[in-house]
Amino acid sequence: MSTRFTDVIGENDQTRARHEHLESLRQLVGNVYPNKFERSRVVDSGREDTITAMAEKFRGFEPTSVDGARPTPEAIEEANQQLNKIVVRLAGRIASPPRVMGKAAFLHLSDGVSRLQIYIRKADVRAVNNDTRALIEEEGKGWELLELLDHGDFIGTEGYLFITKTGELSVHVESLQFLAKALLPLPDKMHGIHDPEIRQRQRYADLIAGSLKLERDNGELTPREVFERRSEIIREMRRFLEADGYVEVETPMLTPKATGAAARPFKTHHNALDIDLYARIAPELYLKRLLVGGFEKIYELNRNFRNEGIDRVHNPEFTMLEFYWSYADVNQMMDLCEEMLQANVVKVLGTTQLRYGEHELDFAKPFERLTMREGIREYGSPGPADSNLDSLSGARLAELFEATVEHTLVQPTFITDFPKPLSPLSKASPSDPSVAERFELFIAGMECANGFSELNDPKEQYDRFNDQMTQRERGDEEAMVMDEDYIRALSYGMPPAAGIGIGIDRFVMLLTNRPSIRDVILFPHMRPTRKVEVTGEATEEEA
């Protein structure tokens, strides 16, 4: 049995009233979902006017008031002599229910960032017929349209700018066009949405709530600002790398082998080729094929997919920045990583200091560099059986580090000298063949980057893959598989090189002070077992 529309959105007094308003609007203006609305180009002749652009351009005309008193009539008149000549066409979401005062009304429009007040007077406003795009000549139809509007609807307006008696920049509306109906009531504009599950499942509602929220803690970002900052972080990483001569490339997201990292993959089947394919767990081996082919500096901003657990810092689908530098080694890559992240923090935040949860992070200082054993000695708590660190197996050393050290690394810290068996794609250290020339960067207890000197000896790489295959046969589902074509590529010769993968989502968490990776991914993966409503708390689990 198919689901009814009202079952999907819910049915109550508010939704029924909004449906009734929509049907009345259909009778009044015809098409209640018109295809477009042409906005003016007053602020910049090359682009349409937004509410934000209009507010930034003309809010300076608002007279200053003293001790909260209203501006003088003379100051308002002086501003209006200039503003009344400016006719604008603006569109947006109704961000506040109309305040009707006799034969006039005030309401605010929002473009998701800023608000602008509009003023509608019954004697002046006319409605637009959406079928003919002409003004409805019959008197009173503009006011009738206003009375059918709900909080959250989209409307288009045309009118002139002016300053109200209270000193607020506004638009005196002369024509009103209906654009789209909000059939669901909007979230609480005072407090937003508190339930994190609703915010993450229904990001559209989270974004709306953030744009309407009036109460905000000092420095708190709206959901939109979080994702705008994410965009800025990525843009600055691209700019940094391209200024250093790196070329952006793209590699396959569906691959015949799940290679490039130790992780469980997602598997699918290609019908036409009749082969199994895997959502990539890392692009590393494809990127290094390009080093073989002659590229010297390359990077990819890529989506990776790993069929693993979900928690505060893990999502099955996540974003990585991977880049490779021919003729460099692990130490040069650490230097470049540090320089890039420091520059990014300064460019995006305007400072080298940032707060993450209860921690104050300092990106101005050189990042601390410790070997894994030094990290355990300085920050860890090995038991009696582990007191002789030099005698521990690589697996036990890594296990001890993860359990007792990782969470203590608050300030940016590079951990080096990983056990070679845990790093099958990395070169061994020339001074100690038992460790790999590899590092991981930890910030606020999170692994944020992983890099190493790339193994380019095809025979040794073949042997390492064979060791991994032996581990798979013993039950390790995350061990790597043999990639014969990659061995063939290395056999053509790959220059010495360093590579790195930086976790974009975790770095964004740091620069937006968000505790969960789900807060910085627009649409994170979640178990579809709870029915949630924007207007209330999550209900009990469904079968």
Side-chain angles (χ1 to χ4, degrees):
M1 181 178 177
S2 61
T3 305
R4 297 179 304 168
F5 175 68
T6 52
D7 293 333
V8 174
I9 70 169
E11 187 172 12
N12 53 46
D13 291 344
Q14 290 196 59
T15 58
R16 280 191 290 270
R18 288 170 180 259
H19 274 286
E20 292 169 2
H21 288 169
L22 183 64
E23 291 308 311
S24 297
L25 284 164
R26 202 186 306 275
Q27 298 300 315
L28 176 62
V29 302
N31 180 12
V32 288
Y33 293 100
N35 290 30
K36 68 175 184 176
F37 178 83
E38 293 184 6
R39 294 181 286 187
S40 55
R41 297 172 182 263
V42 171
V43 175
D44 182 345
S45 61
R47 61 180 63 185
E48 294 178 304
D49 290 327
T50 63
I51 289 168
T52 297
M54 193 63 54
E56 291 175 350
K57 175 75 173 179
F58 296 105
R59 195 142 273 165
F61 281 87
E62 294 180 341
T64 56
S65 58
V66 180
D67 297 330
R70 287 190 175 189
T72 64
E74 292 77 16
I76 293 174
E77 176 62 25
E78 182 180 352
N80 284 338
Q81 285 179 359
Q82 301 177 66
L83 291 176
N84 290 171
K85 301 173 185 177
I86 303 172
V87 176
V88 298
R89 287 175 57 84
L90 297 174
R93 184 189 290 277
I94 298 176
S96 62
R99 292 181 290 116
V100 179
M101 295 172 288
K103 297 182 180 180
F106 289 93
L107 56 90
H108 284 86
L109 289 188
S110 169
D111 60 2
V113 178
S114 303
R115 303 177 186 213
L116 186 64
Q117 181 171 263
I118 67 171
Y119 169 71
I120 300 174
R121 193 165 66 180
K122 185 174 184 179
D124 299 337
V125 66
R126 299 168 75 184
V128 175
N129 184 308
N130 286 341
D131 292 335
T132 65
R133 299 185 185 177
L135 294 173
I136 299 174
E137 297 297 337
E138 188 176 347
E139 185 177 350
K141 292 302 180 181
W143 191 257
E144 184 179 336
L145 192 161
L146 170 72
E147 292 178 321
L148 295 172
L149 297 178
D150 292 296
H151 184 204
D153 290 354
F154 281 89
I155 59 173
T157 64
E158 181 174 356
Y160 59 85
L161 297 177
F162 78 108
I163 300 294
T164 65
K165 292 180 181 179
T166 60
E168 184 173 353
L169 177 69
S170 305
V171 178
H172 187 125
V173 176
E174 296 175 307
S175 71
L176 187 62
Q177 184 172 357
F178 182 77
L179 301 179
K181 171 63 71 176
L183 293 173
L184 288 172
L186 299 192
D188 178 1
K189 68 178 182 179
M190 294 299 293
H191 307 102
I193 301 174
H194 288 294
D195 189 327
E197 181 154 340
I198 296 176
R199 292 203 311 268
Q200 294 160 4
R201 286 184 185 276
Q202 301 180 12
R203 186 67 75 192
Y204 42 86
D206 183 35
L207 291 167
I208 294 170
S211 71
L212 300 178
K213 188 176 178 182
L214 298 178
E215 296 181 352
R216 218 192 314 175
D217 295 335
N218 185 36
E220 179 187 358
L221 299 176
T222 67
R224 178 176 177 138
E225 288 170 339
V226 168
F227 292 103
E228 287 178 336
R229 182 167 293 180
R230 179 188 176 106
S231 177
E232 185 179 4
I233 290 167
I234 292 172
R235 183 170 62 250
E236 286 304 315
M237 287 182 171
R238 274 194 168 101
R239 185 200 59 76
F240 182 95
L241 290 173
E242 288 174 4
D244 198 29
Y246 283 80
V247 177
E248 184 172 10
V249 298
E250 295 176 324
T251 61
M253 295 181 70
L254 286 176
T255 64
K257 293 191 175 185
T259 59
R264 294 178 60 186
F266 290 96
K267 183 178 179 180
T268 187
H269 187 79
H270 191 291
N271 292 332
L273 296 177
D274 193 24
I275 59 171
D276 290 336
L277 292 174
Y278 300 88
R280 73 173 169 207
I281 56 177
E284 178 170 339
L285 301 192
Y286 283 97
L287 290 171
K288 289 193 285 193
R289 283 171 168 92
L290 298 180
L291 299 184
V292 171
F295 283 94
E296 293 188 358
K297 289 184 174 182
I298 52 174
Y299 77 93
E300 182 173 13
L301 272 158
N302 56 80
R303 293 294 250 186
N304 292 342
F305 307 86
R306 299 184 183 178
N307 198 354
E308 299 171 340
I310 298 176
D311 58 28
R312 186 182 72 85
V313 295
H314 292 92
N315 192 65
E317 178 181 359
F318 60 97
T319 303
M320 290 282 287
L321 168 65
E322 289 207 18
F323 55 97
Y324 292 82
W325 180 6
S326 294
Y327 310 111
D329 72 355
V330 68
N331 296 301
Q332 292 168 282
M333 183 56 77
M334 276 193 287
D335 292 341
L336 184 64
C337 172
E338 181 174 332
E339 180 186 356
M340 184 176 76
L341 296 188
Q342 287 175 330
N344 198 283
V345 169
V346 171
K347 183 68 175 180
V348 173
L349 301 183
T351 177
T352 56
Q353 317 292 317
L354 64 97
R355 183 166 188 80
Y356 182 70
E358 60 185 16
H359 303 302
E360 294 290 341
L361 304 181
D362 185 358
F363 278 78
K365 299 177 182 178
F367 295 180
E368 187 174 9
R369 301 187 182 192
L370 300 169
T371 68
M372 183 174 284
R373 284 185 170 86
E374 288 171 343
I376 295 173
R377 290 191 180 100
E378 186 166 342
Y379 296 104
S381 52
D386 301 315
S387 57
N388 185 5
L389 296 180
D390 293 333
S391 66
L392 297 182
S393 68
R396 177 56 189 159
L397 193 70
E399 180 184 328
L400 190 60
F401 173 82
E402 182 177 351
T404 68
V405 180
E406 281 190 11
H407 65 278
T408 70
L409 302 176
V410 175
Q411 299 302 324
T413 304
F414 288 117
I415 297 297
T416 64
D417 287 6
F418 279 66
K420 190 175 77 170
L422 304 181
S423 310
L425 300 173
S426 172
K427 277 188 174 179
S429 169
S431 59
D432 184 355
S434 69
V435 301
E437 278 207 330
R438 173 184 172 187
F439 69 85
E440 286 186 356
L441 172 63
F442 290 87
I443 309 174
M446 296 187 292
E447 178 199 340
C448 293
N450 178 26
F452 37 82
S453 296
E454 304 296 338
L455 178 59
N456 60 345
D457 179 339
K459 178 59 169 64
E460 184 177 352
Q461 185 65 79
Y462 175 82
D463 293 339
R464 298 265 201 104
F465 278 153
N466 268 334
D467 289 341
Q468 291 286 301
M469 292 296 291
T470 299
Q471 293 179 38
R472 288 185 71 86
E473 291 169 0
R474 292 173 178 169
D476 185 353
E477 295 182 4
E478 295 187 357
M480 292 186 189
V481 298
M482 174 67 71
D483 189 334
E484 293 90 349
D485 183 72
Y486 179 63
I487 299 299
R488 185 182 302 112
L490 287 184
S491 299
Y492 278 97
M494 188 182 91
I500 189 173
I502 298 176
I504 295 296
D505 306 305
R506 294 182 187 178
F507 190 63
V508 174
M509 286 170 62
L510 295 173
L511 269 61
T512 57
N513 195 14
R514 287 297 184 273
S516 170
I517 195 170
R518 295 181 181 182
D519 294 326
V520 298
I521 296 175
L522 277 168
F523 300 103
H525 293 282
M526 302 180 72
R527 189 190 304 275
T529 57
R530 302 180 72 201
K531 184 177 180 181
V532 295
E533 297 180 2
V534 174
T535 52
E537 298 299 316
T539 63
E540 62 185 36
E541 289 191 356
E542 298 176 316

